[in-house]
C-alpha cells in the first residue's frame, strides 16, 4: 500500500493514499513518501474509510471513480490536519473479496482528463492485482498458525510426567516470513518419558499439516513402541508413504526418571545439549539421516542424566541465520545456554532473548530435568 501510494503520487503529481480492506475488515493503509508521519489520522478516520469502502464497492464490478466531499472524507490522509474532497478509484480484487481504493485530493488538483482517469483506473487495478496474493498469503498464514497452536500443547496443557520437570516454548516466525513445520512433544511411555522436537522441511501450509500428521503418528506409535530409533524408522516410513516429496528432522529422547538413563535418536536434527550444574554445556554425540530419505537409523546414543543436569532440545529456527555457518551458530547457542541462570524457565527465556526475536523460521524449545 505504501509503494502504491508513493507511485500514484509521483505519477499524478499530488498527494495520494491507498487502502486495502481484507475479509476480516482489517484496513491496510499506505501514504505517499513525502507525507509527514506527524498527526496521522485517528482510528475514527479509519473506521469512516472502512464503512465508505464497504458501501461504495457493494455490488461493484470493474473500476469505479467517484468523488467524496469533505467532511465525509476524513481529514489528514493527504496533509496533516487538512480537509480535502477526495477523488477515489475503487476496484475489487479478482476474487471480489477485498476492496482496494486509490485516493487523491481534488483541491489544488487540475481537472483530470480522460487520459488521467484511465491512468487512475489502471493504477487501482494494478494495486488490486498486487494486493490479492498478499492477502491470500495472510489467510494461509493464519490457517497454518491456527493449526500449530491447536495441535501443540500449551505449557499448562502438558501431560503429568512423573519424575521430570519440563519447560517448552514455541515462537512463530516473524510476520514477514512464511510459516514452518516445527513441533515438540512430551509423552508418557510406560515408566519413562519420551520427548521430541522436530521440523518439517519447507515453509507453507503443507509443512504445517505434515507436522500435525507426524506428531499424531508419534503419539500413536509410542503406545506400543518406546525405542527412539525404532520410532524414527516408523516416522520415516510414514513420511515416505504419504508425503514422498517431503523431508523432516526430528530428535527423540527416552528418559527413565528413576535412573536418569537416557536414549537419544537423532534424525538430521540439531543434537540435544546437556547442561551441567558447573556451567558446562556439551552436545550429545547423536546423529542419523533425516526422515523421508529411507536410510537406516543407527542405534540410540545412551547416557545418564544426572539430577543436576538440564537437557535442551531446539529447532534450528532458533539459531540459524542466513550467511552464518550452522556450526558457528551452534557454538553461540552452547555458550549462551551454558551461561543461563539456573532453572528450566530461565534457560528458555534466556535463549529466546538472545536468539529468538523476529526470526526467519519458527522456533521450538524443550528443556527437561529430573525432578527433585
Amino acid at each position: 500500500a505504501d509503494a502504491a501510494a508513493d507511485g500514484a503520487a509521483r505519477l499524478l503529481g499530488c498527494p495520494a493514499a491507498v487502502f486495502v480492506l481484507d475479509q476480516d475488515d482489517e484496513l491496510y493503509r499506505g501514504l505517499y513518501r513525502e507525507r509527514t508521519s506527524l498527526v496521522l489520522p485517528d482510528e475514527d478516520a479509519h473506521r469512516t474509510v472502512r464503512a465508505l469502502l464497504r458501501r461504495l464497492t457493494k455490488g461493484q464490478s470493474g473500476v469505479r471513480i467517484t468523488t467524496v466531499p469533505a467532511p465525509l472524507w476524513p481529514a489528514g490522509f493527504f496533509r496533516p490536519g487538512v480537509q480535502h474532497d477526495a477523488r477515489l478509484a475503487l476496484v475489487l480484487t479478482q476474487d471480489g473479496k477485498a476492496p482496494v481504493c486509490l485516493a487523491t485530493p481534488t483541491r489544488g488538483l487540475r481537472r483530470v482528463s480522460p487520459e488521467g482517469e484511465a491512468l487512475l483506473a489502471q493504477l487501482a487495478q494494478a494495486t488490486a492485482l498486487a494486493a490479492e496474493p498478499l492477502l491470500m498469503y495472510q489467510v494461509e498464514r493464519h490457517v497454518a498458525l491456527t493449526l500449530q497452536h491447536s495441535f501443540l500443547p500449551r505449557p499448562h496443557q502438558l501431560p503429568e510426567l512423573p519424575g521430570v520437570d519440563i519447560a517448552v516454548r514455541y515462537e512463530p516466525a516473524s510476520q514477514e516470513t512464511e510459516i514452518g513445520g516445527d513441533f515438540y512433544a512430551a509423552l508418557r511411555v510406560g515408566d519413562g518419558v519420551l520427548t521430541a522436537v522436530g521440523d518439517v522441511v519447507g515453509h507453507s501450509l503443507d509443512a504445517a499439516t505434515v507436522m500435525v500428521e507426524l506428531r499424531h503418528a508419534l503419539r500413536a506409535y509410542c503406545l506400543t513402541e518406546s525405542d527412539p530409533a525404532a520410532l524414527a524408522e516408523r516416522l520415516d516410513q510414514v513420511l515416505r508413504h504419504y508425503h514422498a516429496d517431503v523431508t523432516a528432522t526430528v530428535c527423540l529422547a527416552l528418559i527413565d526418571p528413576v535412573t536418569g538413563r537416557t536414549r537419544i535418536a537423532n534424525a538430521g536434527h540439531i543434537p540435544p545439549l546437556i547442561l551441567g550444574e558447573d556451567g558446562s554445556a556439551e552436545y550429545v554425540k547423536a546423529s542419523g539421516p533425516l526422515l523421508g530419505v529411507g536410510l537406516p537409523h543407527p542405534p540410540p546414543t545412551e547416557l545418564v542424566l544426572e539430577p543436576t543436569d538440564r537437557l535442551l532440545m531446539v529447532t534450528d529456527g532458533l539459531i540459524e541465520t542466513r550467511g552464518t555457518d550452522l556450526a558457528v551458530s551452534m557454538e553461540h547457542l552452547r555458550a549462551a545456554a551454558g551461561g543461563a541462570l539456573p532453572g528450566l524457565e530461565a534457560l528458555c527465556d534466556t535463549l529466546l532473548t538472545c536468539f529468538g526475536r523476529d526470526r526467519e523460521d519458527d522456533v521450538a524449545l524443550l528443556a527437561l530435568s529430573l525432578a527433585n
Side-chain angles (χ1 to χ4, degrees):
D2 282 332
D6 197 50
R10 286 188 284 110
L11 285 168
L12 298 173
C14 65
V18 169
F19 304 89
V20 181
L21 187 63
D22 72 10
Q23 299 176 69
D24 298 322
D25 226 32
E26 182 171 351
L27 187 69
Y28 298 88
R29 180 208 67 199
L31 301 178
Y32 69 108
R33 190 177 303 171
E34 294 180 8
R35 165 66 165 85
T36 174
S37 60
L38 299 175
V39 198
L40 291 171
D42 60 17
E43 182 54 37
D44 285 340
H46 289 84
R47 275 195 289 269
T48 299
V49 172
R50 283 189 191 93
L52 278 169
L53 294 189
R54 287 293 184 209
R55 179 166 58 84
L56 293 174
T57 57
K58 187 175 182 180
Q60 176 180 326
S61 61
V63 181
R64 176 185 179 187
I65 297 180
T66 186
T67 298
V68 176
L72 295 180
W73 182 259
F77 283 116
F78 305 124
R79 294 184 179 90
V82 179
Q83 278 201 324
H84 290 281
D85 297 344
R87 190 72 166 163
L88 307 183
L90 299 156
V91 65
L92 297 174
T93 52
Q94 284 189 319
D95 62 5
K97 295 178 181 177
V100 175
C101 170
L102 195 155
T104 56
T106 59
R107 188 180 304 172
L109 182 66
R110 62 184 182 276
R111 182 176 179 80
V112 180
S113 65
E115 293 79 9
E117 295 244 321
L119 177 60
L120 199 63
Q122 288 176 344
L123 284 171
Q125 288 175 318
T127 304
L129 286 171
E132 185 169 29
L134 298 176
L135 291 169
M136 290 174 64
Y137 163 75
Q138 289 288 92
V139 171
E140 178 175 302
R141 179 181 175 82
H142 174 72
V143 171
L145 279 173
T146 300
L147 269 175
Q148 288 181 315
H149 285 299
S150 297
F151 289 101
L152 293 178
R154 302 293 187 274
H156 66 274
Q157 296 173 330
L158 288 170
E160 288 292 329
L161 299 171
V164 299
D165 295 321
I166 287 183
V168 296
R169 296 288 189 277
Y170 171 75
E171 293 286 333
S174 64
Q175 288 293 324
E176 292 76 24
T177 309
E178 290 185 285
I179 204 70
D182 292 33
F183 67 95
Y184 62 81
L187 307 166
R188 189 171 182 173
V189 180
D191 295 329
V193 171
L194 180 74
T195 61
V197 170
D199 183 8
V200 176
V201 176
H203 298 85
S204 65
L205 180 57
D206 288 340
T209 55
V210 174
M211 173 274 290
V212 173
E213 289 184 43
L214 284 181
R215 188 172 175 277
H216 277 296
L218 176 63
R219 289 166 61 88
Y221 284 137
C222 73
L223 293 175
T224 57
E225 176 61 72
S226 61
D227 179 80
L231 290 170
E233 292 275 7
R234 292 191 179 186
L235 293 178
D236 179 79
Q237 292 170 4
V238 168
L239 207 53
R240 286 187 291 122
H241 184 80
Y242 294 106
H243 303 281
D245 57 342
V246 177
T247 56
T249 68
V250 68
C251 187
L252 301 154
L254 179 66
I255 301 104
D256 183 335
V258 177
T259 65
R261 183 189 181 215
T262 301
R263 307 176 71 203
I264 295 170
N266 188 1
H269 203 79
I270 292 177
L273 264 173
I274 303 296
L275 309 177
E277 188 179 29
D278 59 358
S280 62
E282 299 297 334
Y283 285 103
V284 177
K285 290 180 172 58
S287 62
L290 46 72
L291 304 180
V293 297
L295 295 175
H297 291 266
T301 298
E302 294 201 23
L303 57 93
V304 175
L305 201 63
E306 300 295 335
T308 55
D309 288 342
R310 290 176 291 176
L311 182 145
L312 173 68
M313 305 167 75
V314 306
T315 55
D316 60 8
L318 178 68
I319 58 171
E320 194 170 40
T321 303
R322 195 173 301 172
T324 302
D325 189 272
L326 183 59
V328 173
S329 298
M330 287 175 62
E331 181 57 27
H332 292 163
L333 173 63
R334 191 186 69 81
L341 292 172
L344 302 178
E345 300 293 340
L347 173 61
C348 292
D349 291 341
T350 296
L351 296 180
L352 284 179
T353 300
C354 289
F355 302 104
R357 305 303 177 192
D358 297 321
R359 301 297 301 178
E360 295 183 358
D361 200 353
D362 295 357
V363 173
L365 296 85
L366 186 149
L368 174 146
S369 64
L370 302 179
N372 295 326

